Amino acid sequence: MKQENVTRPLPAGWRVYRRQSWLAAQQLLVDERAAIDRHVRELDRSAEDLAPLDREIAQDAMDDPAVNRLMTITGVNLAVAAGIVAAIADISRFSSPQKLVSYFGLNPRVRQSGLGAAHHGRISKIGRSHARAMLVEAAWAAAKAPGPLHAFFVRIRARRGHQIAAVAVARKLTVLCWHLLKKGEDYLWARPALVGNKTRAMQLQAGHPQQKGNWRGPAYAYNIQSLRDCEMLIAAQAEQSYNGSCHNGNRGGQNPGRGRLSSAGQHRQSGDACSRCVTLRHEVARARQP
């Protein structure tokens, strides 16, 4: 096959993104270029069909307190929060978080014969498969950000590997969602500036006009580097506190060694991080004021 030595311009109808510009600059065979052009046009057509659906989801989710509450969890965006709420419907249907875990098919299979020992296997995958897939994707995102969920992922990954650790974090997210919806509370270690940025993205997706000028919207605090750094620091402190509590729990009640926090010290560190988190929320709220 004859190979192209010149860069072809972007075909009409392409959305000029950085990745598409890079793709157009590559030297490819004629048939490969034609196949890629067909696939990209198909992706653009699908994106145009999905745009009104995304707008309708954002419009319905703006006034839903359950969706806004789940979006306070790091790694959970609008699509995941709306999908989970749609799958759960009324949280009162589930009397315990284990019921919700089973509903999503994230509970392990149990094999037991008579009075013998029970053997736990892979997850059952019986239930809402779409919600389960979204929770796993959210687990991968939460595992990359500092916080207790990242510490939990690293601890499971060291023993079982990446895939099992991601599913374990998805199960942890399911339990967390149950508690937040049941108690009507936001995530304790929420990052206020990041939550504000998610809220503003949801508003723009719903069709709200862009605000220009001196007016400060909910995403203004996310542009302040010092506030973002403070959020990351508090999340890292929460992760250290979680690691310390897990370490002492595995010591079987022994006295903590030299250089390690005692149980009271861990609670004090967690309380200090929580108070800093509350202070940070006030700083973010103050930054939004003109």
Side-chain angles (χ1 to χ4, degrees), residues 29-174:
L29 299 177
V30 177
D31 59 339
E32 293 177 348
R33 174 70 66 181
I36 291 176
D37 291 347
R38 290 195 301 270
H39 293 317
V40 171
R41 286 195 298 269
E42 182 66 22
L43 289 175
D44 289 340
R45 187 191 63 80
S46 300
E48 292 176 357
D49 294 339
L50 291 175
L53 298 178
D54 293 336
R55 183 168 59 252
E56 292 179 4
I57 292 175
Q59 291 173 353
D60 294 338
M62 282 187 57
D63 299 328
D64 193 335
V67 175
N68 288 271
R69 181 161 291 114
L70 294 186
M71 286 177 59
T72 60
I73 305 175
T74 304
V76 177
N77 59 5
L78 171 61
V80 176
I84 294 175
V85 171
I88 294 176
D90 188 2
I91 192 61
S92 62
R93 297 193 301 151
F94 306 96
S95 58
S96 66
Q98 288 73 24
K99 299 288 185 180
L100 185 59
V101 170
S102 300
Y103 181 68
F104 288 151
L106 290 169
N107 57 314
R109 296 178 182 269
V110 180
R111 294 177 298 170
Q112 186 176 14
S113 178
L115 299 178
H119 299 278
H120 298 273
R122 299 177 180 271
I123 60 175
S124 64
K125 294 186 179 180
I126 300 175
R128 304 298 294 267
S129 59
H130 291 86
R132 181 172 62 251
M134 287 189 293
L135 283 167
V136 173
E137 291 298 326
W140 283 113
K144 297 178 182 179
L149 292 175
H150 173 72
F152 179 76
F153 175 83
V154 172
R155 185 164 61 90
I156 301 299
R157 183 185 61 182
R159 297 187 290 110
R160 306 296 300 277
H162 287 78
Q163 299 296 333
I164 295 179
V167 175
V169 174
R171 185 184 184 279
K172 181 76 71 174
L173 282 174
T174 304

Side-chain angles (χ1 to χ4, degrees), residues 119-228:
H119 299 278
H120 298 273
R122 299 177 180 271
I123 60 175
S124 64
K125 294 186 179 180
I126 300 175
R128 304 298 294 267
S129 59
H130 291 86
R132 181 172 62 251
M134 287 189 293
L135 283 167
V136 173
E137 291 298 326
W140 283 113
K144 297 178 182 179
L149 292 175
H150 173 72
F152 179 76
F153 175 83
V154 172
R155 185 164 61 90
I156 301 299
R157 183 185 61 182
R159 297 187 290 110
R160 306 296 300 277
H162 287 78
Q163 299 296 333
I164 295 179
V167 175
V169 174
R171 185 184 184 279
K172 181 76 71 174
L173 282 174
T174 304
V175 176
L176 179 60
C177 291
W178 184 89
H179 283 284
L180 295 183
L181 296 178
K182 197 74 172 181
K183 300 176 182 178
E185 299 176 355
D186 293 340
Y187 184 46
L188 177 61
W189 304 113
R191 295 165 54 184
L194 179 60
V195 174
N197 190 44
K198 291 181 183 180
T199 303
R200 183 53 181 163
M202 179 175 59
Q203 294 175 356
L204 294 176
Q205 185 173 326
H208 285 207
Q210 296 184 357
Q211 301 288 342
K212 297 182 179 180
N214 297 326
W215 185 80
R216 296 181 180 180
Y220 177 80
Y222 192 74
N223 299 324
I224 303 177
Q225 183 66 34
S226 59
L227 289 178
R228 294 207 307 270

